[in-house]
Every structure is written in structure tokens, then in C-alpha cells.
Amino acid sequence: MSPSNDTATLRLGDQSIDLPLRTGSEGERALDIRALRRATGLITYDPGLVNTGACESSITFTDGERGILRFRGYDVEDLVDHCEFIEVAYLLVHGWLPNAAQKASFSRLLNQNALIHEDMIHFFSHYPERAHPMAVLSAMVVSLSSFYPELGENRQEDIDLTVTRLLSKLRTVAAFSYKKSLGEPIVYPRHDMKYCQNFLNMMFSSPVVRDPVNPVLVDALNKLLILHADHEQNCSSSVVRAVGSADANLYASISAGICALWGPLHGGANQHVIEMLQQIQADGGHVDRAIARAKDRNDPYRLMGFGHRIYKSYDPRARVAKRICRDVTAALDRHDPLLDIAMELEAAALADPYFQERNLYPNVDFYTGLTYRQMGIPTDMLTVMFAIGRLPGWIAQWLELRSEDEFRIMRPRQIYVGPPQRTVKPLGERS
Ligand code: CMC
């Protein structure tokens, strides 16, 4: 983003201040208020940071009105159609798509770093059987910081090693935690398998089941993880940046991002979509009742997988996810009654003035959860899948933050509305 010649003038009584406008590489304009408080004593008030640009970034571009999502300039659909997930991970972290040699070296590093320290495997045994896999994932990621060195010098080799270590081990932790939750022996990663195939093998093979991983599932997983790979300053990425801005290490920052992603309004929505559809099914499949509840102001019920802060048209990720979902269903020749309910619900919502007036469309979580379900991923693991996909984005955001000239701790202000100053009464005199 470069400063432009334009300024906006703010008038406060007889005082006026010129605030520069800045323009991004896709023409997005922003008011630069860095001088505001110093010049006027004012701060801005923007709950939910709906109008606030917290940083400049060259990673991801979104245009919510036109339904555009690009990573480093490439349309997400183009990447889904032509790349594997690890190429997109490389793109986000490094800024360019790898050539054949770079991809081979990245794959090699991912394989070399796939195991987790054997002592960490004992941790899984001490979680309650019903522990949510996102709690386990977040705890295991922050624990990695006690087993592996922090990113020190920011030298390229350190970055490559730390990045591949995290990308590779997150996948291993996720699969191990699933196996432990089943009470089955863990399946170790294999050097002869690529990233997505390796994950599915760790999830679904066992000493008694050694079926080869279905290439349809490998392809679908590559595509779904790409859809999740980054989404500019969303809640969890902002958390990763906020924690990183306190100079916390990468593992701690990512662990915090995992916790943020878990929330049902964010990545946790994919689990809640499935639970909502199951509830509709259990209630006889009446999508109209779900729509009526979602519209009722006195009912906190929302259509999960619908609506988005940025997208005021169809979420481009949801469009691709719907296509992948149909392809997987056809290739596996499976019928999922929840998919029928989902499509009926989508059609009913899109035809309803409440959803039309508010520009509420399916978001990424509406069809991705259904696709993972077809692939055999259990419902409480769905947000873990989102986390595996989002990891390269979080890492890229963290690295970008650390390379900023203006690297400063993130520390918003507030408008205090509590009681004015008062004095402490002795204990016996308090009402
Ligand atoms: N169902 C019913 N009404 C909705 C929904 C929904 N899913 N989403 C928004 N609305 C209504 C909302 O009640 C409000 O109505 P009114 O103007 O009458 O008060 C209006 O639409 C604007 O909503 P908002 O809550 O101000 O929008 P937001 O930008 O603050 O929230 C959201 C965005 C995603 C949190 C919200 O749409 C939502 O809760 N969706 C359901 C949860 C979900 O699917 N989350 C996944 C998001 S995509 C994955 C990710 O990147 O995080």
C-alpha cells in the first residue's frame, strides 16, 4: 500500500486535520489515522474492527462484494484446480509457487519432520476420552515449543525448518489424537507418501486394515485444505498476529490461533453445520422450521455455515466446496441424506427475503464439513481439518508481522464507561 496524494480533512470545531489516504494494490482505499490521537486526542471507535485495517499485507486479497479470494495474486479456484496443498503452503509462506526442485526439497523436509517426539505421544493417553480434538491440538502445538527450538535468527534455513516442522507435525498430531480417541494403535507417518495421502493413511489404516488410500480422497483433501489456507485478517489470524506482536514464539502464537478458530462463529462452524443438519433430520427434515428460527430475533439460533463478515455475495470457497462435495459423493457412489437437507436449506434460504436483504450466503463451512464427512472424518475432527489447512496462512501472517518495519505490540485502546473515581470504604461500611 502506498500513500497517495489524496487527503481527507477532519474538522473538529475550529480545528482541522488532514489525514492521508492510502491505496492498496487492488485499489482498496484506507484512511491513515496514525496521526489522529497525537493531533486531536481522539481515538476511533469500531467494535468488531469492522472498518479497521490493522496492517498492510501482501498475502491474501478478498473482495467480498465481487466474491474474490486470491492468495499472492492467484485466484483460489486456479490454485485448487492446478496445485497440491503443499505448493499453496509454500506460496503463502515464501511468496511464490515452488518450481520442481523447490517442491521436492519442501516435500523432503516435510517428510523428515513428520514424527513427533516419542515423549509427546504419552500426552495423548492423559486426555479424557471425550476431550475435544481442538483442545488437544492447541495444547500439543504449544507443547512443541518445549521439544523443538524456537525460530531464532529468522535465517531462511531456520524458517524452512520451523515451517515444515509445524506443517508436518500438526498433521501427525491430528491423526494420532484421532487414533487415541478410538483406542487404536497410532499409525506412524511414512516417507513414501505425500502430505495428504500420509495423513489419510495415519487416520484410516491400522495393523488390521492396510487398504491403499483412495486417490479420490487424496485429491479432495488437497483441494479442501487449499480452500482453508488463508483468509487475510480473520479472527484466528488476527489472534496469531496479536500474540506474535508480544514477541511470543511461533508455536504459542499458532496455538492461540487454533483456540480462536475453534469458536462456532469461526472455523468451529463446520462441526455445527453437521450438528444443525442432523438436528433438522431428527426433527423430520423441516428446513422451513430452521429458517423460521434463524429469522426470529428472540431466538439465538443461526443458520450455521451461512453469512460472512466479508462476503456479501456467494463465498467463492463455498462454491468450490460444493463442487468438490458433489464430485466426492459421485466418485464414492454414496448418498448422504444430510447433503439433501443442506441443498434444500440453501435453496430455501437464498429464496427468503431475510437472507437476501442481509446478503447471507453459504460460507466455506457449509459444504466442507459435508465433504469431510463423506471422506470418513468424524464430526468433532472437522475444525481440526480447517486448522491443518489454515496453518500455512497463520505462519505467513506471523512471518509477515515480524518483518514489518513498524513491528509493534498490538494494543488497541478503549472508551472507558465504568464508574468515575471513587474511594474504598472500610469493610464494615460497604453495602
Ligand atoms: N443466520 C441468521 N441470521 C444471520 C446469520 C445466520 N447465519 N448471519 C448473520 N445473520 C444476520 C444477523 O442476525 C444480522 O441481522 P440484523 O441486521 O437484523 O441484526 C445480520 O445478518 C448481520 O449479521 P452480523 O452478525 O452483524 O454479521 P457479522 O459480520 O458480525 O457476523 C458471522 C458474521 C459469520 C459471524 C455470522 O454471519 C454468523 O454468525 N454466521 C453463522 C456462523 C458461521 O457460519 N461462521 C463461519 C464463518 S466462515 C468461516 C470463517 O472464515 O470464519
Side-chain angles (χ1 to χ4, degrees), residues 153-192:
E153 299 287 306
N154 265 20
R155 283 179 303 124
Q156 197 55 52
E157 314 88 83
D158 282 354
I159 293 177
D160 287 348
L161 183 60
T162 311
V163 164
T164 46
R165 188 179 273 146
L166 249 173
L167 283 169
S168 200
K169 293 189 196 311
L170 191 82
R171 168 196 63 169
T172 307
V173 166
F176 282 12
S177 80
Y178 174 58
K179 282 298 193 189
K180 284 285 179 184
S181 75
L182 296 180
E184 286 187 7
I186 53 172
V187 176
Y188 282 94
R190 283 172 42 176
H191 277 196
D192 59 333

Side-chain angles (χ1 to χ4, degrees), residues 231 234 264-267 269 294 297 301-309 312 315 317 354-355 358 360 363-365 386 390:
H231 210 236
N234 59 84
L265 298 187
H266 191 12
R297 281 190 171 275
Y301 185 90
R302 284 191 163 194
L303 281 196
M304 299 312 285
F306 257 78
H308 199 275
R309 170 64 59 79
K312 301 304 167 198
D315 181 339
R317 303 168 300 175
Y354 172 96
F355 292 86
R358 289 167 181 74
L360 300 171
N363 60 48
V364 67
D365 291 319
F386 196 151
R390 182 54 54 88

Side-chain angles (χ1 to χ4, degrees), residues 127-147:
Y127 284 102
E129 204 181 304
R130 298 176 63 84
H132 196 284
M134 285 296 276
V136 178
L137 194 71
S138 152
M140 292 298 268
V141 167
V142 81
S143 303
L144 288 172
S145 64
S146 2
F147 287 84

Side-chain angles (χ1 to χ4, degrees), residues 176-309:
F176 282 12
S177 80
Y178 174 58
K179 282 298 193 189
K180 284 285 179 184
S181 75
L182 296 180
E184 286 187 7
I186 53 172
V187 176
Y188 282 94
R190 283 172 42 176
H191 277 196
D192 59 333
M193 288 187 179
K194 289 162 92 177
Y195 191 88
C196 289
Q197 183 191 14
N198 220 335
F199 173 74
L200 293 169
N201 187 61
M202 285 191 274
M203 287 284 289
F204 299 122
S205 74
S206 79
V208 290
V209 179
R210 289 182 183 275
D211 297 343
V213 181
N214 185 340
V216 169
L217 303 191
V218 175
D219 182 57
L221 183 56
N222 266 300
K223 291 178 162 42
L224 291 170
L225 295 183
I226 292 172
L227 289 183
H228 292 313
D230 192 51
H231 210 236
E232 45 119 317
Q233 305 313 313
N234 59 84
C235 179
S236 56
S237 301
S238 300
V239 164
V240 169
R241 278 183 178 258
V243 176
S245 80
D247 219 6
N249 67 61
L250 180 61
Y251 304 104
S253 307
I254 301 289
S255 171
I258 291 171
C259 292
L261 186 76
W262 189 6
L265 298 187
H266 191 12
N270 58 10
Q271 173 177 342
H272 289 264
V273 167
I274 299 299
E275 289 166 355
M276 170 188 75
L277 295 172
Q278 284 168 333
Q279 191 59 52
I280 295 173
Q281 184 186 37
D283 293 345
H286 299 288
V287 298
D288 49 327
R289 288 190 198 153
I291 299 271
R293 281 194 68 188
K295 289 161 44 175
D296 182 352
R297 281 190 171 275
N298 300 315
D299 190 334
Y301 185 90
R302 284 191 163 194
L303 281 196
M304 299 312 285
F306 257 78
H308 199 275
R309 170 64 59 79

Side-chain angles (χ1 to χ4, degrees), residues 1 7-10 18-22 29-34:
M1 184 147 109
T7 55
T9 304
L10 177 69
D18 286 338
L19 295 169
L21 292 171
R22 298 174 76 85
R29 297 198 334 145
L31 190 59
D32 181 344
I33 57 153
R34 281 176 298 172

